[in-house]
């Protein structure tokens, strides 16, 4: 796809010679990449010690850590290809969904949510690429709340906050000096670069000031206390995205025991029906089907949608569901149940009378383009407009403890800002609603606060649509279906706090006004009542892309558990699940960093279960060589 088309301003890009545009991007992202690209395996051994399915936020970590043992051969299978040049640019994140690096999932029709979307179906982006959803996401580094993990540990020893904190720190290379200095909670020198974005608007500091005005602290939500307001921390490396592929795979790409196969679609895990031993993985690549054996274990790290799908295709799942499709049942487990996701209101926006918003016209200019390609700075280094985070308590939360029930994502752009942001925020919203509600204020400076429900009580399901592995599974999040309606009540209160934020002196200095046009479909409700807000939320429901829980971790005897505390699948030998699907309850925050932690901890569990000689362990990452080219050019490091 031409860059002009990608960035949506043909007249601008037409003014640049094509070779110059190509030179700038190619030199910036290819020649100076210190890690280099991962090679794609073309031929396969008959067997490997471990086969890891999925090279996303967890799978890339697992492949890295297992290949630290030099005598173990590890095959990493990824359905997608490598990251693109565009995905490396934080400011282009809104252009990545519905592309070939996205599975492009949609839910089944919802009855009480996503009512403003086409066919009442919610879009569910999932990464189909090396790095998985860490390539599609907004790069926010959030760990969740201490009490999340302590609740996991009640039935799952080894998963308390004190147990998992060292694994967060192990991965982290935090480059914010005032944050990294807090060594009790943060680490330096790990594979995963974490730092504040290279560019924010003045609205970011206004957001934090407004939070303090409401009585909240400006603090580090990843440290001692979560409740409060903060500027974002991100998986960001000097103005570029730091996906798990870049962080964990590229630096070790020369390890002789690592084999990475892209464009490899897993069809099923082969399990012996007599011994219940997982023995091999069957997958298709370039039109050819392979079946490769694993002598030790198969690790499923395909995420909360694809991991249950693959298990069910392999005979592991609810007996009634598998029987209905004619799939022999090898282990009757509640695979695909317990689906949890962070639902939010996506359409509440505010205008300002200062030129501070993230408008496309300010992003796509020659100046910003050259600033980014040369300095890795400027608007294109922003996180797609997401600049602040906050955790607040509604009246339904326990006021005596640090356990907020709403998270705010503060964005310096909105669905109404311009066409660029519409591509993301308005994705799938019916054209009639866009025309009648947002289009009148296109190209207006605006900001948005997105209230997100942290601990949903509503749970949904993942089910097979058919026995065809190429058919997308049925995703039914069942938002707002909890018995007492608590999820909607909490989100309504969070919306009210967001409105109160706009009334603070900090925001009023910018002339902030709530865009109070009645949302289509809610005309029959008295404006600004709980009933109206509930209608608004049900119409403009938006996922924050955090599905979890579909291969639940639980103790033996728990009828809802799929894996044990060591992440082994009940009833099947040689098979583990290591990704966010094992969460008993979704964490109170964004899920990318916790998924990386799960990859780190799961890798150690495997090493504990498979003793190896100390001399086999690669203590340090292999030294990588800088890319070479016949063309000699001076490039910067990223």
């Amino acid at each position: 796809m031409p860059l002009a088309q990608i960035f949506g301003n043909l007249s601008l890009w037409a003014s640049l010679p094509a070779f110059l545009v190509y030179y700038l991007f190619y030199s910036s992202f290819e020649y100076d990449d210190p890690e280099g690209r991962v090679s794609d395996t073309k031929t396969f051994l008959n067997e490997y010690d471990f086969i890891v399915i999925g090279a996303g936020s967890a799978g890339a970590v697992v492949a890295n850590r297992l290949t630290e043992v030099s005598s173990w051969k590890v095959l990493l299978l990824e359905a997608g290809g490598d990251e693109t040049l565009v995905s490396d640019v934080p400011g282009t994140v809104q252009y990545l969904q519905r592309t070939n690096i996205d599975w492009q999932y949609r839910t089944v029709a919802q009855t009480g949510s996503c009512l403003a979307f086409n066919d009442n179906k919610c879009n569910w982006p999932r990464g189909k690429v090396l790095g998985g959803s860490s390539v599609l996401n907004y790069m926010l580094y959030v760990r969740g709340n201490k009490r999340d993990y302590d609740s996991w540990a009640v039935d799952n020893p080894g998963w308390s906050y004190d147990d998992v904190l060292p694994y967060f720190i192990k991965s982290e290379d935090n480059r914010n000096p005032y944050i990294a200095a807090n060594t009790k909670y943060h680490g330096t020198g790990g594979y995963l670069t974490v730092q504040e974005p290279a560019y924010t608007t003045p609205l970011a500091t206004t957001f934090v000031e407004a939070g303090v005005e409401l009585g909240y602290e400006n603090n580090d939500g990843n440290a001692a206390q979560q409740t409060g307001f903060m500027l974002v921390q991100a998986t960001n490396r000097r103005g570029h995205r730091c996906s798990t592929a870049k962080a964990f795979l590229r630096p070790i790409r020369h390890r002789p025991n690592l084999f990475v196969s892209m464009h490899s679609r897993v069809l099923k895990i082969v399990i012996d029906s007599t011994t219940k031993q997982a023995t091999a993985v069957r997958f298709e690549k370039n039109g050819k089907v392979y079946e490769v054996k694993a002598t030790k274990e198969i690790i499923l790290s395909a995420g909360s949608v694809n991991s249950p799908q693959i298990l069910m295709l392999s005979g592991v799942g609810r007996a009634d569901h598998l029987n209905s499709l004619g799939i022999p049942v090898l282990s009757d487990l509640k695979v695909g149940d317990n689906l949890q996701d962070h639902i939010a209101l996506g359409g509440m926006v505010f205008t300002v009378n200062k030129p501070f918003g993230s408008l496309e016209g300010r992003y796509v200019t020659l100046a910003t383009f050259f600033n980014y390609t040369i300095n890795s700075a400027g608007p294109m280094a922003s996180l797609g407009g997401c600049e602040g985070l906050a955790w607040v308590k509604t009246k339904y939360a326990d006021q005596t403890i640090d356990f907020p029930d709403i998270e705010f994502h503060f964005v310096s752009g909105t669905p109404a800002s311009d066409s660029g942001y519409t591509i993301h925020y308005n994705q799938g919203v019916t054209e009639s609603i866009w025309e009648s509600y947002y289009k009148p204020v296109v190209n207006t400076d605006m900001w948005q606060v997105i209230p997100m429900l942290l601990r949903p009580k509503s749970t949904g399901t993942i089910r097979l649509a058919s026995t065809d592995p190429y058919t997308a599974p049925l995703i039914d999040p069942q938002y707002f279906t909890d018995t007492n309606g608590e999820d909607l009540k909490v989100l309504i209160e969070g919306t009210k706090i967001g409105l109160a934020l706009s009334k603070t002196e900090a925001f009023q200095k910018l002339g902030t006004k709530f865009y109070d046009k009645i949302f289509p479909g809610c005309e029959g409700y008295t404006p600004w009542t709980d009933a109206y807000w509930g209608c608004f939320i049900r119409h403009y429901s938006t996922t924050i892309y955090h599905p979890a829980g579909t291969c639940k971790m639980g103790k033996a005897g728990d009828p809802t558990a799929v894996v044990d505390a060591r992440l082994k699948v009940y009833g099947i030998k040689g098979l583990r699940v290591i990704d966010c699907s094992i969460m008993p309850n979704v964490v109170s925050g964004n899920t990318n960093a916790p998924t990386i932690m799960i990859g780190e901890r799961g890798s150690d569990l495997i090493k504990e279960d498979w003793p190896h000689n100390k001399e086999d362990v690669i203590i340090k990452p292999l030294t990588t060589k800088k890319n070479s080219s016949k063309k000699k050019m001076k490039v910067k490091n990223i």
Side-chain angles (χ1 to χ4, degrees), residues 148-156 159 553 583-585 587 598:
D148 297 325
Y149 303 104
D150 289 342
S151 70
W152 292 6
V154 172
D155 289 335
N156 302 285
W159 290 93
M553 175 174 62
M583 294 182 181
N585 295 294
V587 294
I598 290 169

Side-chain angles (χ1 to χ4, degrees), residues 209-239:
E209 290 170 4
V212 172
E213 194 175 328
L214 287 181
Y216 290 93
E217 293 182 18
N218 170 206
N219 64 341
D220 174 5
N222 289 319
Q225 176 177 302
Q226 186 182 44
T227 306
F229 282 61
M230 62 181 282
L231 300 178
V232 295
Q233 298 172 27
T235 51
N236 176 44
R237 181 177 292 171
R238 300 178 192 167

Side-chain angles (χ1 to χ4, degrees), residues 7-82:
F7 287 98
N9 190 326
L10 295 174
S11 61
L12 166 65
W13 299 109
S15 66
L16 285 175
F19 79 89
L20 178 58
V21 175
Y22 182 81
Y23 169 84
L24 286 171
F25 270 79
Y26 191 77
S27 65
S28 176
F29 301 122
E30 293 297 309
Y31 290 168
D32 69 348
D33 189 337
E35 295 94 2
R37 296 282 175 165
V38 176
S39 297
D40 186 22
T41 295
K42 304 298 183 183
T43 59
F44 300 94
L45 306 175
N46 291 327
E47 62 183 31
Y48 299 83
D49 294 279
F50 297 92
I51 300 177
V52 182
I53 301 171
S57 295
V61 178
V62 174
N64 178 307
R65 296 306 184 184
L66 294 186
T67 55
E68 287 178 339
V69 181
S70 60
S71 62
W72 288 351
K73 292 183 176 63
V74 178
L75 174 63
L76 177 62
L77 298 172
E78 170 54 46
D82 206 348

Side-chain angles (χ1 to χ4, degrees), residues 7 25-30 32-35 37 82-93 96 101 134-137 139 235-243 245-247 250 372 376 380-383 636-638:
F7 287 98
F25 270 79
Y26 191 77
S27 65
S28 176
F29 301 122
E30 293 297 309
D32 69 348
D33 189 337
E35 295 94 2
R37 296 282 175 165
D82 206 348
E83 298 170 82
T84 67
L85 300 184
V86 175
S87 68
D88 203 53
V89 184
T92 65
V93 62
L96 303 179
I101 63 172
S134 74
V135 177
L136 289 186
N137 68 6
M139 303 164 48
T235 51
N236 176 44
R237 181 177 292 171
R238 300 178 192 167
H240 298 259
R241 177 184 294 273
C242 186
S243 69
K246 179 183 285 188
R250 294 188 190 180
Y372 187 74
S376 300
M380 293 174 72
S382 75
L383 307 185
K636 62 186 183 305
N637 290 325
I638 61 168

Side-chain angles (χ1 to χ4, degrees), residues 280-493:
V281 177
R282 187 175 301 158
F283 61 95
E284 177 267 327
K285 179 172 183 172
N286 297 330
K288 184 176 180 180
V289 175
Y290 299 84
E291 188 169 301
V292 178
K293 294 181 180 179
T295 60
K296 289 184 170 62
E297 286 190 25
I298 296 166
I299 297 97
L300 189 51
S301 298
S304 288
V305 176
N306 294 93
S307 283
Q309 179 190 26
I310 293 170
L311 283 177
M312 289 186 283
L313 289 169
S314 308
V316 180
R318 295 182 64 110
D320 56 350
H321 179 54
L322 299 186
N323 286 332
S324 71
L325 293 169
I327 299 174
V329 180
L330 299 177
S331 187
D332 182 7
L333 300 172
K334 298 297 191 295
V335 173
D337 287 7
N338 192 47
L339 173 62
Q340 300 167 43
D341 182 37
H342 287 141
I343 190 67
L345 169 60
M348 186 170 63
V349 300
F350 304 85
T351 62
V352 293
N353 60 15
K354 304 290 184 184
F356 291 163
S358 295
L359 297 177
E360 188 177 61
R362 298 189 186 119
Y363 272 57
V364 186
T365 67
L366 276 175
T368 58
F369 176 67
F370 279 102
N371 191 16
Y372 187 74
T373 55
I374 296 170
N375 302 315
S376 300
M380 293 174 72
S382 75
L383 307 185
C386 190
E387 301 188 344
L389 295 172
W391 290 267
V392 301
K393 299 178 186 177
T394 72
K395 65 183 182 182
Y396 298 106
D398 187 336
Q399 305 301 309
T400 65
I401 59 175
D402 177 34
F403 207 28
D405 51 356
I406 288 288
E407 179 181 342
F408 286 149
H409 291 78
F410 175 76
V411 186
S412 58
T414 79
S417 292
D418 52 36
S419 59
Y421 278 89
T422 302
I423 290 173
H424 168 61
Y425 290 111
N426 203 44
Q427 186 78 251
V429 176
T430 61
E431 181 65 20
S432 60
I433 289 178
W434 164 248
E435 291 283 346
S436 63
Y437 192 71
Y438 289 120
K439 195 169 183 179
V441 285
V442 169
N443 296 325
T444 301
D445 282 283
M446 304 181 91
W447 59 270
Q448 180 177 22
V449 61
I450 302 175
M452 182 184 88
L453 179 69
L454 283 174
R455 288 182 294 282
K457 290 183 168 56
S458 303
T459 60
T461 61
I462 302 289
R463 294 288 184 261
L464 295 178
S466 76
T467 57
D468 181 0
Y470 295 93
T471 300
L474 302 174
I475 303 169
D476 188 4
Q478 300 179 30
Y479 298 124
F480 307 126
T481 58
D482 56 305
T483 305
N484 298 318
E486 291 182 38
D487 287 354
L488 188 60
K489 291 176 182 177
V490 173
L491 198 46
I492 288 170
E493 292 302 312

